[in-house]
Amino acid sequence: GASATFFLVGEQIEANRELVERMKAEGHQVGNHTWSHAKLEGADAGTVAWEIKKTFARRNGAAERSSCIGQVNGFLIDLQPIF
């Protein structure tokens, strides 16, 4: 079957845990779309880091991280593991 990449908003992971687990089980990649879908353009580095790290921490609780992709200011970036 086909695989896809899904970008998750961290604060929505818990309410959709079964769907996140299904993504993992089916071999899809999971990306980080920030914790609160915040607008990061012009945000300070601390805010950007918090939005990304909090989502990785929550996502790791729901499913093993299958990618290290993040989105910052509209650009996809490759992130090193943070935990």
Side-chain angles (χ1 to χ4, degrees):
S3 64
T5 301
F6 296 94
F7 286 87
L8 305 181
V9 174
E11 64 185 7
Q12 296 177 3
I13 291 173
E14 188 63 36
N16 295 286
R17 184 169 291 277
E18 288 182 25
L19 182 57
V20 174
E21 292 296 340
R22 180 177 165 196
M23 290 173 189
K24 174 187 170 188
E26 293 179 1
H28 301 293
Q29 288 190 319
V30 176
N32 184 334
H33 199 61
T34 72
W35 174 255
S36 65
H37 203 263
K39 182 176 179 182
L40 299 179
E41 184 177 352
D44 63 78
T47 298
V48 172
W50 184 87
E51 285 281 338
I52 292 170
K53 288 179 181 181
K54 186 163 175 92
T55 300
F56 275 148
R58 177 58 55 95
R59 186 177 70 195
N60 189 49
E64 292 178 21
R65 194 164 82 213
S66 60
S67 71
C68 293
I69 299 171
Q71 185 171 5
V72 177
N73 295 334
F75 295 95
L76 295 179
I77 58 172
D78 185 17
L79 301 167
Q80 295 300 313
I82 56 172
F83 48 88

